[in-house]
């Protein structure tokens, strides 16, 4: 029997296999966990399991704090620069 986290892990693994097999770029949108308003989001804010962030080559976080909108690079596997 699978719980939702096992299912997420298997799905992320299947997407990574597909990406490697067909040499394509995949963009996956994952909503954050519920955080208080005006709180900066980080990698730990991504809902699901750690595999979601471990398998990613890049992690971008888009968020709105007050009236300002931000995009942050939280992970860049190839360059390393954030």
């Amino acid at each position: 029997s699978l719980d939702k986290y096992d299912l997420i892990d298997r799905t992320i693994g299947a997407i990574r296999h597909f990406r490697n097999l067909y040499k394509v770029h995949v963009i996956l949108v994952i909503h954050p966990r519920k955080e208080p308003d005006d709180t900066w989001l980080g990698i730990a804010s991504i809902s699901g399991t750690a595999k979601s962030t471990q398998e990613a080559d890049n992690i971008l976080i888009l968020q709105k704090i007050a009236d300002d909108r931000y995009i942050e690079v939280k992970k860049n596997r190839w360059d390393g620069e954030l």
Side-chain angles (χ1 to χ4, degrees), residues 1-11:
S1 134
L2 294 174
D3 68 5
K4 71 178 183 177
Y5 298 109
D6 289 332
L7 187 58
I8 291 170
D9 280 354
R10 285 186 182 202
T11 302

Side-chain angles (χ1 to χ4, degrees), residues 32-68:
R33 293 186 172 105
K34 194 68 174 166
E35 301 278 354
D37 291 339
D38 296 336
T39 299
W40 287 99
L41 300 176
I43 291 178
S45 302
I46 297 172
S47 63
T49 67
K51 188 165 183 140
S52 303
T53 57
Q54 289 169 350
E55 293 289 335
D57 292 330
N58 301 294
I59 296 176
L60 304 176
I61 294 184
L62 298 105
Q63 72 180 101
K64 180 181 173 187
I65 303 250
D67 290 329
D68 298 317

